[in-house]
């Protein structure tokens, strides 16, 4: 693990947020569209990934296959994991947890209890699904990569990196462990849940970097979970150049109401690629600054 709030330096950071399998496709589409416009973010000095963004971050950081191949994978229709859904009772428990919580940690503890009690697939089976999704991306990259997860008991956020001795697939599995859908991941004798529970982007982990682009499939925030826009504003207030990209109307329609259904992945990737054009000038100004 890393001292997650002590990174400094005049460097670039790419933050990839939570948003399900379909949100991951949209993120890859946005990145591909920005390349179309002349800005490649994949060489960022730091990449932060949460949940779906953790998978994309791991794939990009590894340098295996490249962005073009990742984008084409979103379009090929291959189901790397089964469709899932947050049922209405679980959604209501999420909403109740927000209302009853005063901090992200308290919210994390409430959803941790939900996750620990929920009947799901076996933990080993879920890990194998994530491993298949990562494909040949099996080792931590040499450059800085942070993968977030939340302790199911304490509700505290952590960020795994190459120095913590945790296999990359385990870190990503933990980051993708959506409470009530997938089982908590066991690492170091503790249980871990989705990194997007603390916030949908965790953009605060890019503090100390001068140029930051946040790509977040979910723009949501609440009184306890800061939105990507709020976190981006905090980074800007601290002196960083920041651009936050969240889905526009066309992208929201393409993503649909169930971001865990891979049937929407191709449409989301195409929509993200198209949307990138409207952010290209702002991203270029940030990245080239």
């Amino acid at each position: 693990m890393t001292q997650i709030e002590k990174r400094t330096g005049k460097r670039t950071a790419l933050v990839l947020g939570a948003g399900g399998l379909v949100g991951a496709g949209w993120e890859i589409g946005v990145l591909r569209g920005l390349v179309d416009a002349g800005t490649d973010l994949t060489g960022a000095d730091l990449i932060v990934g949460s949940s779906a963004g953790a998978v994309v971050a791991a794939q990009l950081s590894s340098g295996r296959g490249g962005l073009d191949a990742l984008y084409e994978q979103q379009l090929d229709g291959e189901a790397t994991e089964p469709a899932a859904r947050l049922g209405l009772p679980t959604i209501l428990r999420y909403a109740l947890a927000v209302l009853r919580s005063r901090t992200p940690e308290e919210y994390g503890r409430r959803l941790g209890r939900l996750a620990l009690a929920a009947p799901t697939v076996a933990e080993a089976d879920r890990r194998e699904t994530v491993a298949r999704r990562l494909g040949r991306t099996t080792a931590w990259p040499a450059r800085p990569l942070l993968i977030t997860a939340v302790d199911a008991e304490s509700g505290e956020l952590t960020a795994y990196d190459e120095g913590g001795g945790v296999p990359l697939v385990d870190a990503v599995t933990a980051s993708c462990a959506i409470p009530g859908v997938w089982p908590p991941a066991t690492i170091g004798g503790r249980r871990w849940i989705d990194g997007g529970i603390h916030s949908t982007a965790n953009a605060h982990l890019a503090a100390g970097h001068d140029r930051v682009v946040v790509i977040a499939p979910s723009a949501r925030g609440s009184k306890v979970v800061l939105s990507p826009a709020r976190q981006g504003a905090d980074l800007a207030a601290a002196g960083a150049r920041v651009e936050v990209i969240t889905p526009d109307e066309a992208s929201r329609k393409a993503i649909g109401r169930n971001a865990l259904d891979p049937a929407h992945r191709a449409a989301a990737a195409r929509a993200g690629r198209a949307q990138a054009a409207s952010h290209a000038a702002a991203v270029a100004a940030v990245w080239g600054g």
Side-chain angles (χ1 to χ4, degrees), residues 14 16 23-37 39-42 56 67 71 74 213-217 243-248 251 255 268-280 283:
L14 171 62
L16 300 170
W26 175 81
E27 288 177 330
I28 291 168
V30 171
L31 290 165
R32 185 64 186 82
L34 291 172
V35 170
D36 293 339
T39 303
D40 186 352
L41 304 183
T42 63
V56 180
L67 182 56
Y71 181 73
Q74 309 313 301
V213 174
V214 181
I215 303 177
E243 174 71 1
V244 177
I245 303 175
T246 57
D248 60 11
S251 288
I255 291 170
R270 292 189 180 98
R273 186 173 185 177
Q275 181 183 342
S278 64
H279 298 273
V283 170

Side-chain angles (χ1 to χ4, degrees), residues 3-27:
Q3 295 295 320
I4 59 180
E5 295 189 9
K6 293 185 178 179
R7 292 180 177 270
T8 60
K10 297 182 181 297
R11 296 175 294 170
T12 56
L14 171 62
V15 178
L16 300 170
L21 183 66
V22 182
W26 175 81
E27 288 177 330

Side-chain angles (χ1 to χ4, degrees), residues 22 84 92 113 119 144 146 176 186 230 238 265 267 269 280 283 286:
V22 182
L92 292 176
R113 289 194 290 272
L146 297 181
C176 294
T186 303
R230 170 62 186 276
R265 186 179 59 172
V283 170
V286 166

Side-chain angles (χ1 to χ4, degrees), residues 95-287:
L96 189 60
V98 167
L99 292 174
R100 290 180 172 177
S101 301
R102 291 179 291 180
T103 66
E105 291 74 24
E106 185 177 359
Y107 179 60
R109 289 193 294 274
R110 292 183 186 279
L111 291 191
R113 289 194 290 272
L114 183 160
L116 291 168
T120 63
V121 301
E123 186 178 339
D125 291 343
R126 177 58 182 165
R127 184 186 187 279
E128 178 57 32
T129 296
V130 174
R132 287 198 304 270
R133 193 171 172 197
L134 289 176
R136 295 187 300 155
T137 306
T138 58
W140 286 94
R143 60 195 178 108
L145 167 66
L146 297 181
I147 301 296
T148 67
V150 170
D151 188 305
E153 293 186 2
S154 72
E156 294 180 352
L157 178 73
T158 195
Y160 294 101
D161 66 8
E162 75 283 0
V166 174
L168 180 61
V169 66
D170 291 320
V172 174
T173 301
S175 191
C176 294
I178 303 170
V181 177
W182 306 121
T186 303
I187 299 175
R190 302 191 67 82
R191 309 298 298 282
W192 300 90
I193 59 174
D194 196 303
I197 295 304
H198 190 271
S199 73
T200 59
N202 292 307
H204 64 291
L205 300 183
H209 290 71
D210 283 351
R211 292 168 283 161
V212 182
V213 174
V214 181
I215 303 177
S218 173
R220 292 194 300 269
S222 69
K223 66 185 180 71
V224 293
V225 177
L226 296 183
S227 69
R230 170 62 186 276
Q231 291 189 322
D234 289 345
L235 290 172
R241 295 188 179 188
V242 183
E243 174 71 1
V244 177
I245 303 175
T246 57
D248 60 11
E249 183 177 356
S251 288
R252 290 194 298 271
K253 183 177 180 180
I255 291 170
R257 295 188 176 183
N258 183 12
L260 304 179
D261 184 351
H264 300 286
R265 186 179 59 172
R270 292 189 180 98
R273 186 173 185 177
Q275 181 183 342
S278 64
H279 298 273
V283 170
V286 166
W287 217 243

